[in-house]
Amino acid sequence: MGILQGFKVHYVKLDGVNYTVVTVGDNNSTLTLTNAQPFTKYNITVGAFTQAGETKSSPVIVGTPQDGRFYHDN
């Protein structure tokens, strides 16, 4: 427990290469993930963190079309 300090977005290509963590402050409600490769699937988790540590969401699998923008693959 503790005071929320921010969020960490973890994303990695499904082949396990190019793991990236983006950290944002607690006052941000949106984030644009960059450097995505076209036609690639990624595993994304989001974690909230305090001074005591970090929690993580269940992973979500998303993919990118030709333009490299993320979409959710249901």
Side-chain angles (χ1 to χ4, degrees):
M1 293 240 137
I3 298 171
L4 179 65
Q5 294 181 323
F7 300 92
K8 291 183 181 180
V9 178
H10 304 254
Y11 62 108
V12 62
K13 288 172 35 177
L14 287 186
D15 65 6
V17 179
N18 296 332
Y19 186 83
T20 304
V21 178
V22 179
T23 303
V24 295
D26 66 341
N27 60 347
N28 289 318
S29 60
T30 62
L31 171 68
T32 301
L33 300 177
T34 59
N35 300 324
Q37 296 178 354
F39 304 112
T40 304
K41 291 197 175 194
Y42 290 84
N43 182 331
I44 298 179
T45 57
V46 177
F49 66 92
T50 67
Q51 189 173 20
E54 179 183 354
T55 63
K56 283 189 184 175
S57 68
S58 297
V60 175
I61 305 298
V62 297
T64 56
Q66 183 176 356
D67 64 5
R69 295 181 184 206
F70 288 106
Y71 69 92
H72 187 268
D73 189 16
N74 286 330

